[in-house]
Amino acid sequence: MGLAVAESTEEAGPRAVEGRRERRKRELRARIYEKSRQLFLEQGFEATTVAQIAEAADIAQATFFNHFQSKHALLVEITTEVSGYLQALVDRQLRRDASALDRVTDFAAEIANELSRASGLAREVMLELSRSSAQPGEAYPYLNGVHAPFAALFREGQEKGEVRSDLDAALLSEIVVGGLNVAVTNWIVDPDYPLEERLRLTAAFLTEAIAPRNARGAASGDGAAEQD
């Protein structure tokens, strides 16, 4: 029995040491990643150097390159994280207990808040999302997972009488997502573009456009508007 325990200890020892080593490696990589993201947020991606990242993470520059091939590799990883976050945001907002039009409005407001808060880093990430995953003829690959949830939302809204029913829900999704994305694209191109204001106004225009005709008429004071 004692021999069996000794043999087990000898076999488990290297694995335990290796486990600790791998854990330290993951923790160090996570620290580099987090310090990098903080610097990108504070001073922008282009203005941040590997030397600054290494200093913030309290490591040598060579250690940085042991974990990431380049500063751009960090951006790619952040982009992957943001892509997942965008999908989670869509799911969370569009499944809330509210009318279809209110959910569109709140989604636009949250997108505006998140992009404005992250500012320069968000712009770099959106550009990277477009560059890194676009297929031929596909300008905005980051919207791939957005259209279907919006279409589902509008179908539900049509069944409840909250959304106009004379147009297909998939087409309404294209119109709404495309309209919101125009504002985001303008902001990516022009840092001074008033993103929050334009997204708010765009969302107001689009929700009025996809509302049932009687709702649109009431909003504009036209009591004689036809119903769908």
Side-chain angles (χ1 to χ4, degrees), residues 88-193:
L89 174 60
V90 170
D91 293 341
R92 183 174 73 250
Q93 279 291 351
L94 299 192
R95 292 175 181 173
R96 289 174 52 243
D97 184 18
S99 73
L101 302 186
D102 283 344
R103 280 180 273 180
V104 171
T105 299
D106 291 344
F107 173 80
E110 187 161 357
I111 285 290
N113 179 63
E114 290 294 329
L115 292 180
S116 297
R117 185 170 59 86
S119 191
L121 177 57
R123 189 175 293 106
E124 292 286 349
V125 165
M126 298 303 286
L127 285 170
E128 181 59 29
L129 277 169
S130 297
R131 286 193 298 258
S132 63
S133 56
Q135 300 297 319
E138 186 179 50
Y140 305 107
Y142 54 85
L143 297 180
N144 287 344
V146 176
H147 285 289
F150 267 93
L153 171 68
F154 294 146
R155 288 190 197 96
E156 176 189 327
Q158 288 172 334
E159 293 172 0
K160 295 180 177 179
E162 299 171 349
V163 174
R164 62 188 297 171
S165 58
D166 58 325
L167 296 176
D168 183 72
L171 175 59
L172 293 177
S173 174
E174 290 180 17
I175 292 170
V176 171
V177 173
L180 296 175
N181 188 56
V182 166
V184 174
T185 301
N186 288 340
W187 172 76
I188 291 174
V189 174
D190 178 10
D192 295 323
Y193 185 80

Side-chain angles (χ1 to χ4, degrees), residues 33-141:
Y33 179 84
E34 185 58 33
K35 294 298 182 181
S36 301
R37 187 165 56 175
Q38 289 175 8
L39 287 171
F40 293 159
L41 283 170
E42 292 169 3
Q43 58 192 41
F45 176 78
E46 292 297 335
T48 301
T49 66
V50 171
Q52 290 173 330
I53 295 171
E55 181 179 358
D58 193 24
I59 58 170
Q61 289 190 50
T63 303
F64 172 92
F65 291 110
N66 286 338
H67 293 270
F68 297 95
Q69 290 184 339
S70 65
K71 187 177 70 167
H72 183 263
L74 269 167
L75 179 62
V76 171
E77 189 158 325
I78 292 172
T79 298
T80 301
E81 178 187 349
V82 170
S83 182
Y85 174 79
L86 176 62
Q87 190 61 55
L89 174 60
V90 170
D91 293 341
R92 183 174 73 250
Q93 279 291 351
L94 299 192
R95 292 175 181 173
R96 289 174 52 243
D97 184 18
S99 73
L101 302 186
D102 283 344
R103 280 180 273 180
V104 171
T105 299
D106 291 344
F107 173 80
E110 187 161 357
I111 285 290
N113 179 63
E114 290 294 329
L115 292 180
S116 297
R117 185 170 59 86
S119 191
L121 177 57
R123 189 175 293 106
E124 292 286 349
V125 165
M126 298 303 286
L127 285 170
E128 181 59 29
L129 277 169
S130 297
R131 286 193 298 258
S132 63
S133 56
Q135 300 297 319
E138 186 179 50
Y140 305 107

